[in-house]
Amino acid sequence: MAEIVQRLWRHFARQVPFGMQAPEFFAELAEQAPVVRFDGMWVISGYDLVTRLCTQPGFPMAAPVFPEAVHRDNPQFVRFFSSTMSVRAAEEHQRLRSVLTGAFSGRRLAALRDRIDDVVAELLAEPLRRGEAEFVGELATPLPARVTAVLLGVPPADREFVTERATGMMNQLAAGFLAETHPEAGPPITAAEFAELREYVTGLLEQRRAEPAEDLIGHLAGSYQAGKLSAGEAVDMVLLLFMTGLDTVTAALANTLVVLSERPEIAAALAADPACADRVFAEALRLRTPVAFGSRQVAHDLSVGKLHFKAGDTVILAFAAANLDPRKFEAPLEFRWDRPITGNVAFGHGSYYCLGSALAGMTALSLLQAVHDRLPTPSRPLAELPWRASLAFPTPRVLPVTFSPALAESGAR
Ligand code: HEM
């Protein structure tokens, strides 16, 4: 056990990315050290305990802690992040979450499928013509940005502006909170840009109040008029949603491709039957969980089983490890068709369960089904790919691929 704990500590202390070996590392962690306690910080990797703490009162989501420089240079951004729905007190979180739950209803999402298919077809046209692409930059990054814009109802002419600003917010979060720096990381959003974005969103919400619409911004404008949230909370909600579906979906799509590349027989099964895309996606998210951790701040001294938590302790819930816990998943590193599609915690569990899980699934299915018989294949050895430095997103930063029309005809079926 000591060795795996030392490795864990090295990753946390020095921000060493997990890279290709992330699943092996997380599986070992869950098996050998399901509970690790450093000074005032816990890392919980056992599936049972992770799911239990996700539903246990007294474990609210921790607000990100930004360095002094971000407080000084962009205080409004810090204020926004310190008061988003997810980091509010339990009752406040519930009130705001219930406003959003309606916005992600199955009926509303089903109506988006054709539009997502159109975005996928548009983004794929040029890479397919060339027969190759940089999967992360050309497909996995723009796709969720476009889907988010459609979901929210951002006018087409403003989509580039919104995506650029949302990316700036992600860069600020990555540089300031996840301590992620790499040469390609784009510039963080400035205070002036953030103020401009807020003003823009305020204007959109006002427009929707004057002219109601079926999109998510229309839903939030209606909820404000019905007294379910304040005008400022509606603006913050839109800003939050600009971001939540970006890096998460990008990482999920890239990781799915990595899982398929490592297992040609699964790629062949998908080529033969696109209807199995939902199973492929669920198992891929379990094996290479894109959002590796959740974090909680213990509200008051409390005991769970034999564990005694102190008020203020930080608790890292290692979703990526819980998904590979051999006590829950037999032969956890194997892709198995017969695992239940909803059993894993890639989208979290309980109080903060991901509101965008169905939308993310729909986006992935749309892409996988569009390319099922000419799956993008990495054109560089997987082991040579550069991986994101953030421990929270164990995913390749760049993924050059070629499309292989031969797959379905190669006898792989
Ligand atoms: C495959 C892609 C995605 C993954 C892996 C993912 C993962 C997660 C996880 C693990 C959590 C819970 C965090 C915790 O408990 O600490 C979460 C929460 C959340 N996700 Fe996602 N997510 C994805 C896509 C999306 C999308 C597309 C949206 C919306 C457009 C979204 C919106 C949210 C929101 C709003 C929350 C917070 C819920 C709350 O505070 O109650 N996610 N997500």
Side-chain angles (χ1 to χ4, degrees):
M1 160 163 164
E3 205 259 324
I4 185 80
V5 172
Q6 275 171 15
R7 276 163 54 206
L8 175 68
W9 184 234
R10 201 170 58 239
H11 282 293
F12 275 117
R14 297 198 204 138
Q15 294 285 314
V16 180
F18 296 108
M20 266 306 280
Q21 301 311 317
E24 288 75 13
F25 174 82
F26 284 127
E28 214 179 314
L29 186 66
E31 181 171 18
Q32 296 184 23
V35 176
V36 176
R37 185 171 187 189
F38 302 123
D39 220 12
M41 180 168 114
W42 302 73
V43 180
I44 310 288
S45 302
Y47 180 92
D48 282 349
L49 201 50
V50 165
T51 49
R52 188 165 169 195
L53 296 187
C54 280
T55 49
Q56 172 91 31
F59 286 86
M61 199 186 278
V65 179
F66 289 98
E68 199 41 52
V70 186
H71 282 267
R72 187 190 60 227
D73 298 341
N74 208 340
Q76 289 309 319
F77 181 80
V78 174
R79 187 215 55 78
F80 155 68
F81 247 103
S82 313
S83 62
T84 60
M85 164 183 94
S86 303
V87 301
R88 297 269 190 107
E91 313 77 60
E92 289 281 280
H93 169 246
Q94 265 317 312
R95 172 177 63 84
L96 293 169
R97 186 177 160 98
S98 67
V99 170
L100 269 193
T101 312
F104 284 92
S105 70
R107 183 185 57 84
R108 192 181 287 267
L109 293 184
L112 292 182
R113 175 64 201 247
D114 286 351
R115 297 180 65 190
I116 295 177
D117 287 347
D118 289 345
V119 174
V120 165
E122 220 175 286
L123 289 173
L124 272 174
E126 176 57 19
L128 282 178
R129 194 192 57 72
R130 294 201 318 268
E132 47 91 29
E134 197 286 274
F135 185 79
V136 174
E138 290 184 71
L139 292 163
T141 302
L143 175 56
R146 296 273 297 273
V147 169
T148 300
V150 168
L151 169 80
L152 286 157
V154 174
D158 302 339
R159 286 183 187 162
E160 211 169 304
F161 162 76
V162 166
T163 302
E164 190 193 300
R165 292 293 151 90
T167 310
M169 287 199 282
M170 294 303 297
N171 292 342
Q172 182 66 278
L173 188 65
F177 166 59
L178 303 174
E180 181 173 38
T181 45
H182 51 74
E184 296 87 350
I189 194 165
T190 64
E193 288 168 345
F194 185 64
E196 192 189 3
L197 184 63
R198 277 197 76 87
E199 208 174 298
Y200 169 77
V201 172
T202 307
L204 270 187
L205 281 157
E206 271 163 16
Q207 245 176 46
R208 289 298 191 284
R209 284 205 289 277
E211 290 169 45
E214 272 294 298
D215 50 47
L216 209 151
I217 293 181
H219 173 85
L220 289 174
S223 302
Y224 161 71
Q225 279 175 314
K228 294 182 184 164
L229 79 176
S230 71
E233 285 169 341
V235 173
D236 282 354
M237 198 82 103
V238 174
L239 293 173
L240 179 70
L241 291 171
F242 278 162
M243 289 190 295
T244 45
L246 297 189
D247 282 14
T248 50
V249 175
T250 303
L253 297 175
N255 287 7
T256 301
L257 215 61
V258 172
V259 166
L260 285 170
S261 312
E262 292 173 313
R263 295 168 179 78
E265 72 287 2
I266 307 298
L270 179 63
D273 178 14
C276 70
D278 54 350
R279 284 197 171 272
V280 169
F281 187 57
E283 255 311 71
L285 293 199
R286 186 187 67 77
L287 285 161
R288 288 193 174 274
T289 302
V291 178
F293 307 110
S295 73
R296 304 287 187 267
Q297 187 124 44
V298 179
H300 46 84
D301 290 3
L302 86 171
S303 299
V304 178
K306 292 183 187 147
L307 305 179
H308 306 294
F309 297 93
K310 290 257 166 238
D313 280 358
T314 299
V315 180
I316 306 289
L317 302 172
F319 297 128
N323 278 340
L324 296 165
D325 183 346
R327 295 169 205 84
K328 171 70 181 175
F329 301 100
E330 193 186 88
L333 292 167
E334 282 178 19
F335 186 110
R336 294 254 175 112
W337 289 103
D338 58 351
R339 298 200 208 267
I341 238 166
T342 53
N344 76 62
V345 289
F347 290 108
H349 179 80
S351 324
Y352 299 96
Y353 183 78
C354 177
L355 285 164
S357 60
L359 179 66
M362 199 188 276
T363 305
L365 257 50
S366 174
L367 180 62
L368 287 175
Q369 288 172 348
V371 295
H372 73 281
D373 56 353
R374 52 201 156 168
L375 274 174
T377 314
S379 46
R380 263 164 66 184
L382 291 174
E384 287 175 14
L385 298 175
W387 287 68
R388 276 192 65 166
S390 165
L391 299 184
F393 291 101
T395 188
R397 214 156 21 87
V398 176
L399 186 45
V401 294
T402 52
F403 291 89
S404 50
L407 184 64
E409 299 138 28
S410 67
R413 287 175 208 226

